[in-house]
């Protein structure tokens, strides 16, 4: 089956620092890929997505590029803010055409002023 | 506004009880999921369903069953609740290969 591996946390950064959270998947073919975010006390919401190789998803200053050759979908932001403090989850379907959506374990980000 | 509604936010049940968690979506999505979320373990898929009366096991189906009699409703059943099933349960729905929309979650405590 598919597995999604993301960078272990927690991650603590100063405001305006550069953020990278690594994510790799094992699904075959070209599954859709996602980053979700969970702010403290809230539910999961989609941050960005990509549906084919070399696609770049972006939202709220965050970006991730679908890299088929390395089966990766790393999340980046050039300058983090305190309000970005949250848990970030990478997710992948188990293959093109699959109905099964698998999540990574999550990475907790804390941004300090 | 899209909506996935879980019947309870908080639930306390006794060991050995049969527990039903209900989830309803109003988006006409064919795909529905049940996950549990535990600290350090992320979201783990229990079951999913891609059509009425269809169900597939996820990564941790033991001790759970599901029911999907109508397209909009997906129920998770704990046949005999145990303390190790204390967790946050999340329901979601999607169209195939697209974004999953999540409910607010049910925090279940088994005592």
């Amino acid at each position: 089956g598919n597995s999604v591996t993301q960078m272990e946390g927690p991650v603590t950064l100063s405001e305006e620092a550069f953020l990278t959270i690594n994510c790799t998947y094992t699904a075959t073919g070209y599954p859709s890929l996602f980053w979700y975010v969970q702010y403290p006390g809230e539910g999961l919401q989609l941050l960005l997505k990509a549906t084919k190789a070399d696609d770049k998803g972006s939202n709220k200053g965050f970006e991730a590029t679908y890299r088929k050759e390395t089966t990766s979908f790393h999340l980046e932001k050039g300058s983090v803010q305190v309000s970005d403090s949250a848990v970030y989850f990478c997710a992948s379907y188990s293959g093109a055409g699959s109905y099964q959506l698998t999540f990574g374990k999550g990475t907790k980000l804390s941004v300090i002023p | 506004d899209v909506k996935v509604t879980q019947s309870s936010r908080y639930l306390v049940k006794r060991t050995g009880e049969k527990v039903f968690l209900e989830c309803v979506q109003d988006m006409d999505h064919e795909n529905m999921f049940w996950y549990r979320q535990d600290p350090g373990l992320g979201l783990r898929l229990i079951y999913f369903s891609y059509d009425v009366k269809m169900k597939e096991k996820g990564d941790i189906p033991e001790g759970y069953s599901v029911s999907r009699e109508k397209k909009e409703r997906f129920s998770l059943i704990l046949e005999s609740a145990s303390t190790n099933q204390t967790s946050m349960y999340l329901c979601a729905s999607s169209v195939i290969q697209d974004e999953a929309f999540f409910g607010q979650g049910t925090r279940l405590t088994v005592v």
Side-chain angles (χ1 to χ4, degrees):
Chain A
N2 183 32
S3 67
V4 176
T5 303
Q6 64 180 100
M7 192 170 131
E8 296 277 331
V11 174
T12 302
L13 294 174
S14 298
E15 210 165 19
E16 299 184 3
F18 184 84
L19 168 71
T20 300
I21 302 177
N22 291 340
C23 172
T24 58
Y25 63 94
T26 61
T28 57
Y30 293 85
S32 296
L33 304 174
F34 307 87
W35 277 99
Y36 283 80
V37 60
Q38 188 173 37
Y39 297 104
E42 297 187 14
L44 264 83
Q45 56 185 277
L46 180 72
L47 180 60
L48 52 84
K49 68 180 181 182
T51 58
K52 59 184 188 294
D54 301 323
D55 258 5
K56 179 183 281 189
S58 61
N59 187 23
K60 299 182 181 180
F62 291 89
E63 292 183 339
T65 300
Y66 193 140
R67 301 282 187 206
K68 179 59 181 170
E69 63 278 11
T70 54
T71 60
S72 64
F73 193 54
H74 305 322
L75 183 68
E76 296 183 336
K77 186 173 186 183
S79 176
V80 294
Q81 305 301 312
V82 172
S83 57
D84 294 326
S85 298
V87 182
Y88 294 83
F89 293 93
C90 185
S92 159
Y93 279 94
S94 292
S98 167
Y99 294 96
Q100 182 168 352
L101 182 61
T102 299
F103 283 77
K105 291 185 177 181
T107 302
K108 183 175 181 180
L109 171 67
S110 298
V111 181
I112 54 177
Chain B
D1 204 14
V2 298
K3 209 154 190 181
V4 178
T5 304
Q6 295 182 229
S7 52
S8 305
R9 289 295 302 273
Y10 300 94
L11 216 49
V12 180
K13 296 292 181 179
R14 295 197 178 277
T15 302
E17 275 193 77
K18 190 168 186 175
V19 181
F20 293 85
L21 303 183
E22 308 285 347
C23 175
V24 177
Q25 50 100 359
D26 65 0
M27 295 165 282
D28 201 36
H29 287 164
E30 64 266 17
N31 212 13
M32 294 188 76
F33 310 86
W34 275 107
Y35 295 89
R36 61 177 283 177
Q37 183 177 11
D38 301 287
L41 297 177
L43 273 71
R44 292 181 292 167
L45 182 62
I46 304 170
Y47 270 95
F48 64 102
S49 166
Y50 54 86
D51 201 353
V52 175
K53 297 193 187 293
M54 304 304 291
K55 58 186 179 185
E56 294 284 342
K57 293 179 180 179
D59 299 315
I60 53 163
E62 297 78 19
Y64 304 94
S65 61
V66 291
S67 171
R68 193 158 180 210
E69 297 296 320
K70 294 185 177 181
K71 189 176 186 180
E72 68 271 17
R73 187 178 297 269
F74 192 36
S75 303
L76 180 70
I77 304 153
L78 286 66
E79 297 290 343
S80 176
S82 64
T83 54
N84 63 13
Q85 293 178 310
T86 291
S87 186
M88 173 69 85
Y89 289 88
L90 299 174
C91 176
S93 72
S94 77
V95 299
I96 183 175
Q97 291 288 317
D98 207 348
E99 172 190 0
F101 293 87
F102 281 84
Q104 281 298 101
T106 296
R107 185 166 293 281
L108 172 67
T109 302
V110 182
V111 298

